[in-house]
Amino acid sequence: MDFDEAVALVERARTPAEIFVDGATTYRGLVKILHPDVAPAGRTATATAALARLGALWAATNLVIRTRRHRWAVGADFASGDIGTLREVTDGPLRGLLKLPRDPADGDLARAEIDALDRLCRRGEHRFRPYAPELLDTVSHEDPATGIRRTGPVLERLNGFVSLAEVARRYPGGVDPRDAAWMWRRLLVGLGWAHRAGLVHGAVLPEHVLIHPAEHGLALVDWCYSVPPGQRIPALVARHRDAYPPEVPGRRPATPATDIYAAAELMARLIGPRLPPALRRFADGCRLERPTMRPDDAWRLLAELDDLLYDLYGPRRFRPFAMPA
């Protein structure tokens, strides 16, 4: 089979059974043909896309990964993240999401997420536990084609949650600030919880903040960029470079003020042109150039936000929030 035949086979396949007649033998053979390093001149992008689809189809086969505590049956892709694809996994009635880095070089980021979720469980106040997904297990898996071993977390599946990136897409004119108020409040609660557990999240971005519209819940995900205060954030998401506080691209130490800047930037963009002047001034005070000039205590800042919201809208009351179709 030549390169073009292999690409055509992968592109037209709709189920794993259409390709993997001989299981891992077929998979390894196709990887050798489709790998970008051996692709014909000018066909690297085609090879990369075909190899990614091949990997997704292989993941949907009856792959089982055993750990010390669990026997995870790996299912279909659930979502694509910055460093890895989330895949559905089950162990009897227990359901989770397996996150393995696409590039083995990102193993340190996967390990950082595992360590962060473990720290939050051990050191964070238990009543705030829903503000991050639970770490169900840690998996180490060897690719049968390449022999490369990758390690990643199995995460709690947060049913009914959507990202603020999705909220922004559904509200192109901006979210009503009275609705964004509960999101901003809960975001500061979650960040304060992390900071008191000794972590800076490091990537408070639209895709990494999930909300439950009906229950007004919020969870922070993608802890792979997190560090203890005083350390540098290990990487940034390039498409969001202009949303980061200057110390992150500047490779300077991160502090709780780093997350507070990013949270204010995120919420100001989410509300957009509907942002009242008083809330804009509040956000601007969180986005000063130097970290030492910004607020660095999320829970103290929450009290200031509550006072401001009271002045703007009166006593707090529950406002149902719906995602438009």
Side-chain angles (χ1 to χ4, degrees), residues 127-300:
R127 61 186 171 130
F128 299 115
R129 193 68 194 82
Y131 281 86
E134 181 183 355
L135 177 66
L136 300 179
D137 201 0
T138 298
V139 160
S140 186
H141 175 61
E142 183 176 302
D143 189 303
T146 64
I148 294 174
R149 182 169 292 275
R150 294 176 296 162
T151 298
V154 176
L155 305 170
E156 172 191 9
R157 183 168 176 169
L158 300 174
N159 296 316
F161 282 77
V162 296
S163 73
L164 288 189
E166 183 61 26
V167 173
R169 281 192 289 270
R170 303 280 190 96
Y171 283 87
V175 173
D176 189 312
R178 293 170 297 175
D179 293 316
W182 65 261
M183 304 176 198
W184 204 333
R185 292 189 73 260
R186 281 159 177 70
L187 182 53
L188 290 176
V189 172
L191 290 174
W193 169 59
H195 297 161
R196 280 161 174 73
L199 284 174
V200 175
H201 182 277
V204 184
L205 302 170
E207 294 84 357
H208 302 165
V209 180
L210 308 185
I211 64 161
H212 194 294
E215 298 178 5
H216 285 197
L218 182 142
L220 285 154
V221 299
D222 255 340
W223 292 83
C224 54
Y225 306 98
S226 62
V227 295
Q231 294 188 12
R232 296 183 299 183
I233 303 301
L236 56 77
V237 181
R239 66 182 178 278
H240 289 301
R241 175 178 284 271
D242 65 341
Y244 280 93
E247 63 268 23
V248 177
R251 303 292 291 152
R252 297 189 293 275
T255 71
T258 301
D259 283 342
I260 288 173
Y261 178 116
E265 178 75 12
L266 171 58
M267 297 311 301
R269 292 189 183 208
L270 185 69
I271 301 170
R274 306 177 71 172
L275 187 67
L279 273 178
R280 182 171 298 281
R281 290 191 295 272
F282 177 85
D284 288 344
C286 298
R287 295 180 292 181
L288 298 172
E289 180 79 9
R290 293 168 52 190
T292 54
M293 298 175 66
R294 300 178 213 140
D296 63 358
D297 187 317
W299 287 352
R300 185 178 300 169

